[in-house]
Amino acid sequence: MSSINRQWVLRNRPKGAIADGDLELVERPVPETGDGQIRVRTLYLSLDPTNRTWMNDSEGYLPPVGLGDVMRGLTLGVVEDSRSERFAVGDVVTTAAGGWADYAIMNAADASRVHRAPGLPLTANMSVLGMTGMTAYFGVTDVLKAKAGETLVISAAAGAVGSIAGQIARQRGCRVIGIAGGPEKCAWLTRDLGFDAAIDYKNEDVGAALDRLAPDGIDLNFENVGGDIMIAVFNRLKVHGRMAVCGLVSSYNATRMPPSPNFARIITHRLNIQGFLVLDYASRAKEMVAEMGPWLANGDIRWKVHVDNGLEGAVASLDRLFTGDHDGKLLVRVSEEPAA
């Protein structure tokens, strides 16, 4: 084990896109493990749009990261020292208590053991069988209550959550239209993932494409983006349409709020709009695994991870979420996996 722990520390609250100096990579000694604690070596760091919102000094579902504190992030790692009966050396765990760092010392209660799924790489536990898969699954099944024959539109459809959500909806018998950036991503959605149609927002008018592909209107919207794309879908929701708001990534680097829909339409069309957090469903993970497991085993659900190497590049990697320069779930490999 190295005695040095590299950590990304928040120095300034970004104004717009993250700038040089907003985060700093520092080196500190690895602390000793205390009673009831474990030391975890980070294997993978999850990069998610919400990382950017945690840098703001604003109200959110979690408090903002403090200036001078290690940047918060979900990680998957291996226990290298344990002073708790809950974990043994060599156990693989996931936690939000470690953050953007090589190592983390934490109370055992702040980590959850990870079981390798037969036939799947360890990264599946940070993607299709982790928080990403849960967000997609419960957004479609619990929030939207998707039914066979309904038309569902998903923004950021080639992203980690959107790509899985669309496939779950297809398994439920929905007609699925994805919105993504670029012909390659759109082709992946329709050719490989079974989406019924895809709209390239970089090269098409989204509203006109929706009118062509869903001339009778839209039943369901799984919203990840916000802004003009959200408005185009919102304005075409049918009476009693349902909208699950998972993210608003278009606003996370914005210096002014993007436009909002005309809320009078909620009344006239009796729309049901619900925001949700995957944290609300953490206790129901087994439900997701029970249904998703056979789909994965049969190849009915496909998924991608984009893995960048090196903790030192984490800030640059995070920018991929806002430029679209990745497919599927975005991870940083911080250290090598232990042998299976």
Side-chain angles (χ1 to χ4, degrees), residues 87-150:
F87 296 104
V89 171
D91 284 347
V92 177
V93 299
T94 184
T95 180
W100 293 24
D102 288 314
Y103 296 93
I105 306 294
M106 69 193 70
N107 294 327
D110 292 331
S112 299
R113 185 176 283 102
V114 167
H115 300 282
R116 293 176 184 258
L120 294 178
L122 195 55
T123 53
N125 294 281
M126 294 289 276
S127 175
V128 70
L129 290 179
M131 291 293 187
T132 299
M134 287 178 60
T135 304
Y137 180 83
F138 288 109
V140 170
T141 63
D142 203 86
V143 181
L144 288 175
K145 297 178 174 60
K147 299 181 181 66
E150 293 184 312

Side-chain angles (χ1 to χ4, degrees), residues 252-287:
Y252 295 165
N253 279 333
T255 55
R256 63 176 64 183
M257 289 302 295
S260 297
N262 175 10
F263 275 18
R265 208 165 189 275
I266 298 174
I267 302 170
T268 61
H269 284 63
R270 285 84 82 195
L271 303 178
N272 187 318
I273 300 176
Q274 181 180 336
F276 75 103
L277 296 171
V278 68
L279 300 178
D280 299 334
Y281 296 94
S283 64
R284 297 174 58 187
K286 289 182 179 179
E287 294 178 39

Side-chain angles (χ1 to χ4, degrees), residues 49 153-157 179 201 206 221-234 243-252 254 256-261 263:
V153 175
I154 303 179
S155 57
I179 302 174
Y201 74 85
V206 173
N221 175 211
F222 195 118
E223 185 54 51
N224 294 300
V225 173
D228 291 334
I229 289 176
M230 178 175 70
I231 292 173
V233 180
F234 178 89
M243 182 175 180
V245 184
C246 177
L248 299 170
V249 69
S250 68
S251 68
Y252 295 165
R256 63 176 64 183
M257 289 302 295
S260 297
F263 275 18

Side-chain angles (χ1 to χ4, degrees), residues 6 63 78 88 109 146 153 185 193 211 218 221 242 246 269 309:
R6 297 175 303 161
V78 60
V153 175
K185 290 185 177 182
L193 303 191
D211 289 338
I218 298 162
N221 175 211
R242 307 188 296 284
C246 177
H269 284 63
N309 288 309

Side-chain angles (χ1 to χ4, degrees), residues 39-43 76-80 89-93 336 338:
R39 183 182 72 236
V40 178
R41 171 169 60 88
T42 305
L43 303 176
L76 185 146
V78 60
V79 176
E80 291 200 334
V89 171
D91 284 347
V92 177
V93 299
E336 293 302 315

